[in-house]
Amino acid sequence: MDDLHIAPGPGNPHGLTIAAAELTERFSRASGPGGQGVNTTDSRVQLAINLATCTAFTPTQRTRVLRNLASRVSDGAIVSVSAQNERSQYRNRVSARENLADLIRTALMPPPPGRRPTRPTRGSIRRRLAAKRRRSDIKRLRARPTSTH
């Protein structure tokens, strides 16, 4: 297959190309659809990349990807993605590559800016208290009338 292309985005302004030689593909029998060939074709694809030795990342990108994909990293910085939704091995290979590209693209994004704590405005406090007063009046008017003798 071809190289893996990752589109430009936040944290990755020029895009990224990972050589096909740095990707590891394994094939096995899928548990999903397959018809008559379900027991004979190895249509599930597991795509893995070793982040520690991949030459496509800058050091900053590598640390960001390793930090953001820490739950998926095992065995010396290998990220694995599998696909088995299609009947065709080729389509599963394409799907696995798209999934890996999306995963890396989102992992390369910088963290969002921190929240600046703010206080509610005087008008919003007044509106909230007025709404609570109205609601309280509605519920008070629903109460059973008391008999006066």
Side-chain angles (χ1 to χ4, degrees), residues 115-120:
R115 180 189 174 277
R116 277 185 33 206
T118 57
R119 294 183 56 170

Side-chain angles (χ1 to χ4, degrees), residues 84-103:
Q84 64 178 3
N85 297 333
E86 305 290 335
R87 291 175 66 169
S88 162
Q89 185 187 79
Y90 176 77
R91 285 187 290 198
N92 279 334
R93 289 175 81 185
V94 171
S95 178
R97 285 171 178 269
E98 290 171 358
N99 293 344
L100 183 61
D102 287 341
L103 188 69

Side-chain angles (χ1 to χ4, degrees):
M1 286 264 345
D2 297 331
D3 297 341
L4 179 66
H5 299 288
I6 300 171
N12 182 21
H14 306 295
L16 207 60
T17 302
I18 298 174
E22 294 182 346
L23 299 173
T24 307
E25 287 181 320
R26 288 188 311 181
F27 306 101
S28 61
R29 293 198 177 125
S31 63
Q36 292 177 340
V38 72
N39 293 325
T40 59
T41 59
D42 290 340
S43 59
R44 169 197 262 160
V45 177
Q46 288 183 311
L47 188 63
I49 182 172
N50 191 334
L51 296 174
T53 60
C54 184
T55 59
F57 299 113
T58 65
T60 306
Q61 289 175 334
R62 180 174 288 112
T63 57
R64 184 176 289 161
V65 169
L66 283 170
R67 184 181 64 238
N68 291 339
L69 297 179
S71 62
R72 290 178 155 266
V73 171
S74 64
D75 297 336
I78 292 180
V79 174
S80 178
V81 173
S82 66
Q84 64 178 3
N85 297 333
E86 305 290 335
R87 291 175 66 169
S88 162
Q89 185 187 79
Y90 176 77
R91 285 187 290 198
N92 279 334
R93 289 175 81 185
V94 171
S95 178
R97 285 171 178 269
E98 290 171 358
N99 293 344
L100 183 61
D102 287 341
L103 188 69
I104 292 174
R105 186 179 309 110
T106 56
L108 284 172
M109 289 183 174
R115 180 189 174 277
R116 277 185 33 206
T118 57
R119 294 183 56 170
T121 62
R122 198 175 302 143
S124 68
I125 293 172
R126 195 176 323 118
R127 286 188 298 272
R128 182 178 63 84
L129 292 177
K132 288 176 72 149
R133 239 177 274 117
R134 277 192 305 272
R135 188 73 180 154
S136 173
D137 291 342
I138 289 171
K139 290 190 173 195
R140 187 175 38 81
L141 291 173
R142 283 188 199 150
R144 186 175 300 257
T146 58
S147 62
T148 56
H149 293 240

